[in-house]
Amino acid sequence: MVLSTSSAQASVPQYSFQTEDGKWDGEIGNPNKGSDLEVELVPPIYLKTSSGSKLLTNYSNLRARLCNASTGKCTGYHSLTGGKTLFTGMKIGKFYVDVKDGYSSGKVNGKLQIIFK
């Protein structure tokens, strides 16, 4: 038996991320000047603390930015409160995603996807 996925699902890669690990949380090549790129969280998202893991359903302490791979210039951080954020009018190039959290004790991990709009 062959399982199939829709072409929309197959064309949107998912990236694992963890805040405060010093690594990029995903990347995308933008072939079109002026494109809008959306970063969207893919539940479940977890907060890991010294006392264990907790499922997050409120993303108000999470933010994302895009950084140009060749210039090193980054956008400002955008709130992920609703589980996603939109970056508008992006230049052509390769961009890295950086996710940070506002928690004083703990790290957030999960998956995200980057979608052309």
Side-chain angles (χ1 to χ4, degrees):
M1 182 165 114
V2 175
L3 296 176
S4 65
T5 59
S6 76
S7 60
Q9 289 174 325
S11 65
V12 180
Q14 292 186 0
Y15 300 94
S16 294
F17 75 91
Q18 178 173 301
T19 58
E20 302 170 31
D21 64 358
K23 298 178 184 175
W24 295 116
D25 300 313
E27 65 180 58
I28 190 166
N30 181 19
N32 304 313
K33 184 174 182 172
S35 290
D36 296 343
L37 305 175
E38 183 176 76
V39 174
E40 184 175 325
L41 298 173
V42 180
I45 307 294
Y46 294 97
L47 172 62
K48 288 186 176 181
T49 64
S50 58
S51 59
S53 289
K54 172 186 168 186
L55 179 66
L56 277 183
T57 55
N58 179 342
Y59 308 128
S60 62
N61 281 333
L62 299 177
R63 294 180 177 18
R65 68 177 176 171
L66 298 179
C67 297
N68 187 295
S70 60
T71 66
K73 292 184 179 180
C74 299
T75 66
Y77 280 99
H78 290 212
S79 172
L80 287 164
T81 297
K84 59 187 172 182
T85 190
L86 185 66
F87 295 88
T88 58
M90 299 301 294
K91 295 181 179 181
I92 294 173
K94 181 177 174 182
F95 291 89
Y96 296 119
V97 179
D98 181 31
V99 179
K100 76 173 186 175
D101 68 63
Y103 296 101
S104 57
S105 60
K107 298 177 182 181
V108 176
N109 70 339
K111 291 188 177 186
L112 61 83
Q113 56 191 13
I114 307 161
I115 303 166
F116 284 99
K117 288 292 186 173

